[in-house]
């Protein structure tokens, strides 16, 4: 029987049980610290005096003993009597049969020689970002253990990298060396091996970029020069012709099924705050080929090849969208009894995906010339729209020249506004957690805790602090309490102009302080990164062209594209029409920009991305004409000198989407080959192009090369500094883990997405999917139906239908039906499935997906033969998806198609 609780300590600490995250008294910081000490001991007893010295050194002996006894009592009460045992001598040990820990598993795998398994468990340094006040001995203990485990992890990574090189797998070697370089960024030896591996893999630009980044880090942080061997290698690489690019590895198969999840919490807003909270809009569902109301933007969805009835696959490998077969039950598949379903269902599904973003390069100059990147999401600017409708031109003043780089960020210690300073500890913890979160982004230069600590509690003007720390961006925040809730207000300030770029208010219930710090920091970090990305791009645009008219027209067109995407996601037909008009206006502005500076490629490439956006709102011949226009614009820029990587990405994306609409399998394969070639060339020329990695990942998934798709998705995530595509990539990685039956990994991807993108319904739906797919856990139909209700609130069925995602509400109920069937509620399961079949009728838009989800229900009901027949029918209906389907865990289990 698996352990009841799990305590993860490598990286951000996480404590979970049967009902989700452990909260309340057992999750108190000092008790988590106590469990951490016991976990590292791996079942061996730890003396009480040792525990007291680590955790309560400031108390008298009697008081410390009392606190330890009370903590042990609380842990046994909350986790079970057998969770923590006391030996006869008074020593204490953690029972691994009740509480599993990643620290113990990590060390066990190393002992067993499973370096790759150990590396997969290491999410970061021991108790990363975790602090216990007034416990210096505990901090020293953590530092020692953290160093020991980090060295073991580094040795494991180096062994894996060397083994991959010995096997001739350059790409896998790069992955391992890259991970080791991130773990130990100051090691010139590791940097040297990474640069060599990148060059061997055909990624010469990435190799040089990695070497330059390492050299800059050593000079800025340590004031030393890089190793002479590294400098010599860089000089040789610059002089030698580059190697041919190596393909992404075709590793072992993986699997994946459906969408994502999150649950509501009541919080009490303080009287001084408005009831509503402004949140950045999150990109909607990543699906393709939708009616005019689908979300716009960079390519985020993925679909299967089009059939006569517009058959499609869902974005992240979920196969509940492709219309194919009539949704009637064959004679060889007995129908489920028609009983009234407990909840209404809906009808078929197809939806649009969004397109990527581009930086820019000036022709004939050493600057980058590329299309400006698209921000992940933007609010609809009512004034801009009204001005457009009235036919007015909207002008924006030129951006001032930056004195300090906006990517250098100072997070000032948050101010505690609670009575008596009761939240001072939380303000400090949240500040340090946010510094840690932002510090994980390689492109950002975050001032360390030590750098900003000197200004804590001092009345120094933020602009003075920014000047002393050379920070172009400053983050300020306050905390206040209202009832059982804590409210955090955070502002991002441009230190060069003292202009507030963004303000955000986040409310959370008090309780588990660690979980509270983690959740708020993740949400705030995501919002700041998205907004900071826009500001960085605006500053960059000012240097891309000497024509103020061209620059302003491009910036305005970008804003119109963001507004169009937001408007198209509203689900109203009029919104779709208005979005199309905004895109038409954007195209006119870009035409004007090109006329103002014919040497700047950004307007041409952006017109191509506008074509991709407009194709998203169109169907049939009109859609294909827009995509061909986008491909032509990309090809036109490629015909010039010094063709930018953005042109390769644009053409590759357009060809990829054309391939999805291709009925002829030979024609589809040819287009996919061309698209893959362009996308690979694009990321080879500019490895930091996250959106191109993301699209390449989608293409590889459709082709059934799921392990390669996963590698490309992780590269996209690593390069996505400003979270433009992170939600879609994270969602895709969830399915990759799910298809490998790596439910712990899938759960981590789901919860990480939930923390970063709290408003994105997909990171609620993934929790529902896990309830069905992870059969090692107890079936909980009550939890499943609660998630269905929550999803209906986050993504109402009416809106889903308006956006063309007709199957979404059906899917949720079919998943809950499978969970109900596994729990023994067969009548309810049969009722839901029968209702779905009746509503689907002969609509091919539902048949294929319904076959898959009904197979899960039948399997849970014990009807293996019926489930096998349904999956076999799927394979026969979609032979083009055979490579894709055969990796699904359900289909593999049933031996079909």
């Amino acid at each position: 029987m698996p352990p009841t609780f799990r305590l993860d300590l490598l990286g951000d600490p996480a404590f979970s049980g049967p009902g989700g995250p452990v909260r309340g008294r057992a999750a108190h910081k000092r008790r988590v610290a106590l469990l951490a000490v016991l976990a590292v001991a791996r079942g061996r007893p730890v003396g009480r005096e040792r525990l007291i010295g680590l955790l309560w050194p400031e108390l008298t002996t009697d008081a410390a003993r009392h606190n330890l006894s009370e903590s042990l009592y609380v842990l046994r009460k909350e986790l079970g009597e057998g969770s923590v045992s006391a030996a006869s001598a008074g020593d204490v040990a953690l029972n691994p049969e009740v509480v599993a820990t990643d620290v113990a598993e990590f060390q066990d795998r190393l002992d067993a020689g499973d370096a790759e398994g150990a590396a997969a468990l290491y999410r970061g340094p021991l108790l990363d970002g975790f602090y216990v006040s007034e416990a210096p001995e505990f901090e020293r203990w953590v530092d020692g253990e953290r160093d020991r485990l980090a060295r073991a992890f580094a040795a494991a990574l180096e062994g894996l990298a060397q083994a991959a090189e010995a096997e001739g797998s350059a790409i896998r070697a790069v992955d391992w060396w890259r991970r080791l370089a991130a773990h130990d960024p100051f090691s010139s030896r590791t940097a040297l091996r990474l640069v060599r591996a990148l060059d061997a893999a055909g990624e010469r630009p990435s190799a040089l970029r990695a070497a330059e980044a390492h050299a800059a880090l050593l000079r800025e942080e340590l004031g030393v020069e890089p190793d002479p061997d590294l400098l010599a290698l860089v000089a040789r690489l610059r002089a030698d012709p580059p190697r041919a690019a190596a393909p992404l590895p075709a590793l072992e198969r993986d699997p994946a099924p459906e969408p994502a999840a999150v649950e509501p919490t009541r919080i009490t807003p303080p009287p001084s705050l408005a009831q509503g909270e402004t949140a950045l809009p999150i990109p909607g569902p990543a699906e393709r080929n939708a009616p005019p109301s689908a979300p716009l933007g960079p390519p985020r969805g993925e679909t299967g090849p089009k059939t006569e009835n517009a058959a499609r696959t869902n974005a992240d490998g979920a196969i509940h969208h492709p219309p194919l077969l009539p949704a009637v039950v064959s004679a060889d598949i007995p129908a489920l009894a028609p009983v009234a379903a407990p909840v209404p269902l809906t009808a078929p599904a197809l939806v649009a995906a969004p397109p990527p973003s581009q930086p820019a390069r000036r022709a004939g100059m050493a600057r980058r010339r590329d299309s400006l990147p698209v921000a992940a999401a933007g609010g609809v600017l009512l004034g801009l729209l009204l001005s457009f409708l009235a036919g007015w031109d909207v002008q924006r003043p030129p951006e001032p020249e930056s004195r300090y780089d906006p990517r250098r960020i100072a997070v000032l210690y948050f101010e505690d506004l609670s009575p008596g300073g009761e939240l001072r500890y939380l303000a400090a913890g949240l500040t340090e957690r946010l510094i840690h979160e932002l510090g994980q982004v390689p492109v950002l230069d975050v001032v360390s805790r030590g750098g900003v600590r000197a200004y804590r509690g001092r009345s120094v003007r933020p602009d003075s602090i920014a000047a002393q720390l050379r920070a172009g961006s400053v983050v300020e925040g306050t905390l206040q309490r209202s009832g059982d809730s804590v409210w955090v207000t955070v502002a991002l300030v441009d230190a060069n102009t003292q202009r507030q770029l963004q303000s955000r208010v986040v409310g959370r219930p008090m309780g588990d302080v660690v979980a509270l710090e983690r959740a708020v920091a993740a949400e705030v970090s995501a919002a700041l990164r998205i907004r900071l990305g826009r500001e960085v791009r605006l500053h960059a645009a000012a240097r891309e062209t000497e024509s103020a008219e061209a620059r302003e027209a491009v910036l305005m067109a970008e804003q119109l594209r963001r507004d169009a995407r937001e408007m198209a996601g509203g689900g109203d037909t009029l919104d779709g029409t208005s979005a199309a008009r905004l895109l038409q206006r954007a195209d006119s502005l870009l035409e004007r920009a090109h006329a103002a500076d014919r040497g700047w490629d950004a307007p041409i490439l952006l017109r191509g991305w506008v074509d991709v956006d407009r194709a998203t709102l169109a169907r049939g011949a009109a859609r294909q004409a827009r995509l061909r226009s986008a491909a032509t614009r990309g090809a036109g820029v490629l015909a010039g000198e010094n063709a930018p990587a953005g042109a390769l990405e644009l053409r590759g994306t357009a060809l990829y989407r054309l391939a999805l609409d291709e009925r002829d399998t030979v024609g589809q394969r040819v287009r996919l080959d061309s698209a893959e070639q362009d996308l690979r060339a694009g990321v080879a020329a500019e490895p930091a192009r996250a959106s191109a990695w993301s699209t390449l990942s989608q293409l590889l998934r459709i082709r059934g090369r799921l392990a390669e798709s996963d590698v490309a998705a992780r590269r996209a995530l690593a390069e996505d500094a400003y979270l433009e595509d992170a939600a879609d990539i994270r969602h895709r990685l969830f399915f990759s883990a799910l298809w490998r039956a790596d439910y712990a990994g899938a759960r981590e991807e789901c919860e990480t997405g939930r923390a970063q993108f709290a408003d994105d319904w997909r990171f609620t739906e993934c929790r529902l999917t896990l309830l069905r797919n992870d059969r090692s856990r107890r079936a909980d139909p009550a939890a499943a139906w609660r998630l269905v209700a929550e999803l209906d609130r986050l993504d109402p069925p009416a809106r889903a239908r308006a956006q063309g995602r007709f199957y979404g509400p059906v899917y949720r109920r079919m998943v809950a039906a499978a969970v109900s069937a596994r729990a023994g509620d067969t009548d309810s399961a049969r009722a839901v499935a029968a209702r779905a079949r009746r509503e689907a009728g002969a609509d091919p838009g539902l048949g294929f997906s319904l076959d898959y989800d009904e197979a899960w229900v039948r399997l849970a009901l014990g009807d293996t033969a019926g489930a096998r027949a349904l999956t076999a029918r799927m394979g026969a209906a979609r032979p083009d998806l055979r490579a894709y389907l055969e990796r699904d865990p359900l289909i593999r289990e049933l031996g079909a198609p």
Side-chain angles (χ1 to χ4, degrees), residues 262-320:
V262 91
E263 284 181 324
T265 317
R266 285 197 178 277
I267 53 178
T268 309
S272 59
L273 293 177
Q275 294 296 318
E277 158 185 346
T278 302
L280 289 177
I282 300 298
E287 302 166 282
R288 302 248 329 165
N289 297 338
S293 54
L296 304 174
R300 287 193 167 88
E302 50 193 346
T303 59
K306 182 176 179 180
T307 68
E308 191 168 358
N309 289 307
R312 295 169 183 85
T313 344
N314 177 45
D316 287 297
I319 47 182
H320 51 271

Side-chain angles (χ1 to χ4, degrees), residues 197-541:
L198 284 166
D199 184 52
E203 291 194 46
R204 177 69 57 83
S206 287
L208 294 172
R209 195 163 65 101
E212 291 164 359
H214 176 70
L217 179 70
L218 293 183
R219 289 174 184 135
E220 291 177 10
E221 298 293 330
L222 303 180
V224 299
E225 288 299 312
D227 188 284
D229 289 343
L230 179 62
L231 297 176
L233 176 60
V234 169
R236 181 173 62 77
L237 293 182
R238 291 190 187 282
D240 292 347
R243 301 170 182 261
L248 286 170
L251 305 178
E252 73 278 359
R253 307 177 193 171
D254 311 21
E258 282 29 270
V262 91
E263 284 181 324
T265 317
R266 285 197 178 277
I267 53 178
T268 309
S272 59
L273 293 177
Q275 294 296 318
E277 158 185 346
T278 302
L280 289 177
I282 300 298
E287 302 166 282
R288 302 248 329 165
N289 297 338
S293 54
L296 304 174
R300 287 193 167 88
E302 50 193 346
T303 59
K306 182 176 179 180
T307 68
E308 191 168 358
N309 289 307
R312 295 169 183 85
T313 344
N314 177 45
D316 287 297
I319 47 182
H320 51 271
H321 284 198
L324 211 62
L325 290 177
V328 293
V329 183
S330 302
D332 58 335
I333 307 173
L336 291 164
V339 190
V343 275
L345 297 170
T346 36
L350 4 142
V351 168
S357 45
Q358 313 309 76
R361 251 176 9 182
R362 175 92 165 114
M365 303 171 104
R367 304 177 238 191
R368 297 170 40 155
R369 56 170 214 181
D370 217 4
S371 150
L372 288 170
V374 183
V380 180
L381 302 182
L382 182 58
L384 181 62
L385 176 59
L386 292 175
S387 299
F388 157 63
L389 293 175
W392 299 338
D393 282 337
V394 182
Q395 296 297 328
R396 173 179 177 146
E399 291 292 328
E401 193 66 30
S402 294
R403 181 183 174 193
Y404 302 117
D405 190 336
R407 290 170 297 181
R408 180 164 173 83
I409 305 173
V411 182
L412 305 184
Y413 271 85
F414 286 16
E415 185 180 358
D416 173 22
L417 301 181
S418 63
E422 62 175 331
L423 296 180
R424 187 172 184 272
Y425 72 98
L426 183 56
L430 182 55
T431 305
E432 291 164 357
R433 174 79 62 168
L434 189 54
I435 290 172
H436 169 77
E437 288 274 349
L438 294 172
Q440 303 305 299
V441 186
V443 75
L444 300 181
D445 180 11
V446 183
V447 179
S448 67
R449 285 187 293 145
V452 295
R453 189 178 289 134
Y455 303 97
R456 183 179 181 181
R458 292 172 53 190
S459 55
V460 183
R461 288 169 50 88
D463 56 339
S464 300
I465 297 175
Q468 293 173 34
L469 297 175
R470 308 187 316 280
S473 301
V474 174
V475 178
E476 304 173 290
T478 61
L479 277 78
Q480 57 183 312
R481 185 168 182 169
S482 176
D484 293 330
S485 304
V486 61
W487 287 83
V488 183
T489 303
V490 184
L492 174 65
V493 178
D494 182 342
N496 294 294
T497 64
Q498 292 304 299
R499 179 166 58 96
Q500 182 172 294
L501 303 177
Q502 169 143 4
S503 178
R504 189 176 183 87
V505 180
V506 179
R508 288 288 187 278
M510 287 292 292
D512 179 1
V513 173
V514 175
L516 176 65
E517 289 177 1
R518 181 169 56 245
V520 173
E523 185 175 348
V524 169
S525 171
L528 293 177
R529 286 169 65 181
I530 291 169
R531 185 61 183 85
L532 184 64
R534 294 184 204 161
E535 203 63 24
V536 168
R537 286 189 294 274
L538 289 174
H539 281 271

Side-chain angles (χ1 to χ4, degrees), residues 523-608:
E523 185 175 348
V524 169
S525 171
L528 293 177
R529 286 169 65 181
I530 291 169
R531 185 61 183 85
L532 184 64
R534 294 184 204 161
E535 203 63 24
V536 168
R537 286 189 294 274
L538 289 174
H539 281 271
R543 299 189 296 269
E544 303 296 344
T545 177
E546 296 171 0
S547 168
E549 181 183 358
R551 180 174 63 249
E552 297 310 315
V554 164
L555 293 177
M556 290 162 57
E558 278 284 18
Q559 183 61 60
L560 286 169
R561 287 188 68 209
R562 285 193 292 269
D563 293 347
R565 181 193 311 161
E566 179 68 16
M567 184 165 287
D572 187 279
T573 303
L574 291 176
D575 286 344
T577 303
S578 298
R581 294 175 67 187
L582 289 177
L583 290 173
Q584 183 178 0
R585 171 65 170 160
D587 188 68
S588 299
L589 284 168
L590 293 169
E591 187 176 16
R592 183 197 304 174
H594 179 57
D597 184 353
R598 293 193 175 276
W600 193 25
D601 289 336
I604 303 173
L605 292 176
L606 268 174
R607 289 191 76 184

Side-chain angles (χ1 to χ4, degrees), residues 109-185:
R109 293 198 181 194
L110 286 180
D111 292 345
D114 180 10
E116 187 164 353
L121 287 167
Y122 194 93
R123 298 177 300 113
L126 178 70
L127 293 169
D128 203 16
F130 181 89
Y131 308 98
V132 176
S133 59
E134 298 179 351
E137 287 302 318
F138 174 75
E139 293 297 328
R140 277 191 280 273
W141 173 85
V142 169
D143 287 342
E145 292 298 325
R146 185 179 287 159
D147 181 64
R148 178 179 67 82
L149 294 169
R151 282 187 282 107
F153 173 60
L157 290 180
E158 184 165 348
L160 288 165
Q162 291 173 343
E165 288 176 336
E167 294 167 1
S169 179
I171 296 293
R172 284 182 63 78
V174 165
D175 286 342
W176 294 123
W177 285 122
R178 192 187 296 277
R179 193 169 176 191
L180 182 54
H183 174 68
D184 186 6

Side-chain angles (χ1 to χ4, degrees), residues 53-114:
L54 289 173
L55 296 169
W56 292 279
E58 79 286 3
L59 299 181
T60 63
T61 302
D62 289 343
R65 285 182 178 278
H66 171 77
N67 280 7
L68 175 58
S69 297
E70 182 185 30
S71 293
L72 293 174
Y73 168 79
V74 168
L75 292 173
R76 291 187 183 113
K77 185 173 180 3
E78 299 286 334
L79 311 182
E81 279 299 324
S83 57
V84 181
S85 60
S88 56
D91 295 343
V92 181
L94 186 65
N95 184 353
E97 295 182 0
V98 177
V99 182
T101 67
D102 59 349
V103 169
E105 291 175 11
F106 172 77
Q107 295 176 108
D108 290 344
R109 293 198 181 194
L110 286 180
D111 292 345
D114 180 10

